[in-house]
Amino acid sequence: MSVVRVGATTLMAPADGGPAWTGDALVGDGEGRLRLDVVPARCDPHAVAEDKRGTFVPVYAVVDGEEQPVVYLPMPDELKAELFAYVSEACGWG
């Protein structure tokens, strides 16, 4: 299996301004983890407060040369809290 793309969400977007993380951005740490450089996708407080899907990360993979259906990975609670704190700071609310 190869992860070929990780899509942006309503809360986070690639720091390079692209619509998704691809290529070199998806080189893991050898332990199955990826580090995604992010910026807030939006800075309107109500969008964050009412968000229901921004912490479900769309992952696109290929297995044996065949594209697979997108899988939405939920963020662990600790990572959600870190993302919300980051968005608050980056958007100037905190």
Side-chain angles (χ1 to χ4, degrees), residues 40 83-94:
L83 178 62
F84 291 139
Y86 166 72
V87 170
S88 176
E89 182 179 321
C91 290
W93 309 330

Side-chain angles (χ1 to χ4, degrees), residues 4-77:
V4 295
R5 180 175 168 215
V6 175
T9 74
T10 56
L11 296 179
M12 63 180 203
D16 68 5
W21 293 269
T22 59
D24 288 343
L26 298 179
V27 175
D29 67 358
E31 294 183 21
R33 294 181 293 208
L34 298 175
R35 176 188 168 100
L36 302 175
D37 293 326
V38 304
V39 295
R42 305 173 63 155
C43 276
D44 44 323
H46 81 277
V48 175
E50 297 175 11
D51 179 70
K52 294 178 180 51
R53 296 295 299 172
T55 59
F56 289 80
V57 182
V59 177
Y60 300 80
V62 171
V63 175
D64 294 331
E66 296 290 326
E67 288 185 32
Q68 301 299 302
V70 63
V71 175
Y72 292 88
L73 295 179
M75 285 185 189
D77 289 339

